[in-house]
Amino acid sequence: MHQLPLLSYAYDALEPYIDARTMELHHQKHHQTYVDKLNTALEKHPELFEKPLEELLKNLEAVPPDIRTSIRNHGGGHYNHSLFWRTMGPDKGGDPGGPLAEAVNQNFGDFAKFKELFSQTAANIFGSGWAWLAADSAGKLQIISTFNQDNPLTQGLKPLLGLDVWEHGYYLKYQNRRPEYIAAWWNVINWEAVEKNG
Ligand code: MN
């Protein structure tokens, strides 16, 4: 069975950028629901419990049709949120370092340009979805967006960093002001964790 991962920091640790109540609801309610519905779907094909979720999302066409949409939505939701929690933390933010910084500069010019482009991508998603920094099979970085709980894995890309722009991720504190939430989120990115996703 898939399980809700514990956070490595407290719900209020990302204040004032992401508020404690949003973190608690987002993790305990929204993420838990994705996990529960993923498990319910997999119970129809229990042999798939043994496959890493990443493998299922990479090759959704191989997932039995009767649960494919559930795996895409709830499996994607579980995968995406697990990555989201892992790539944030208190006393983080700033610029990436090391090889990741070099790759960002190489692909986007410099960190400021990357930040601007990523922020625009996240702000422009119509409705619910995610903005991503992802790498192709040659290691080239790109910024993409996905709707709902879709994941770059399904497009053959490796997700390094993702920003959840579903309203449940920011509405309590920021209401309709998604750009303010996006601007605040840069202060909690754990770049060491992002680098490890590469
Ligand atoms: Mn979410």
Side-chain angles (χ1 to χ4, degrees), residues 11-76:
Y11 288 129
D12 64 359
L14 306 184
E15 295 264 11
Y17 307 110
I18 302 181
D19 61 290
R21 183 72 178 137
T22 295
M23 286 296 297
E24 185 181 2
L25 289 168
H26 201 172
H27 181 248
Q28 286 186 4
K29 304 296 182 189
H30 292 278
H31 190 169
Q32 182 70 61
T33 301
Y34 296 123
V35 172
D36 292 345
K37 291 190 172 176
L38 169 64
N39 285 327
T40 300
L42 288 173
E43 276 163 9
K44 294 179 188 157
H45 298 274
E47 72 280 5
L48 295 181
F49 276 116
E50 318 212 342
K51 286 212 172 196
L53 184 52
E54 193 168 345
E55 294 304 315
L56 299 177
L57 295 172
K58 267 185 192 169
N59 196 4
L60 277 175
E61 291 306 306
V63 173
D66 61 323
I67 63 166
R68 194 176 296 153
T69 300
S70 289
I71 302 305
R72 178 177 175 178
N73 291 339
H74 303 296

Side-chain angles (χ1 to χ4, degrees), residues 26 30-31 34 77 81 84-85 130 149 164-166 168-169:
H26 201 172
H30 292 278
H31 190 169
Y34 296 123
H81 287 82
F84 188 52
W85 311 133
W130 291 73
Q149 295 297 347
D164 185 350
V165 298
W166 283 55
H168 68 225

Side-chain angles (χ1 to χ4, degrees), residues 87-119:
T87 50
M88 296 193 291
D91 306 314
K92 300 293 182 186
D95 297 9
L100 181 60
E102 283 170 35
V104 164
N105 292 341
Q106 215 167 44
N107 285 275
F108 305 105
D110 57 36
F111 181 70
K113 290 201 189 88
F114 160 71
K115 188 172 169 179
E116 189 185 345
L117 185 61
F118 190 102
S119 297

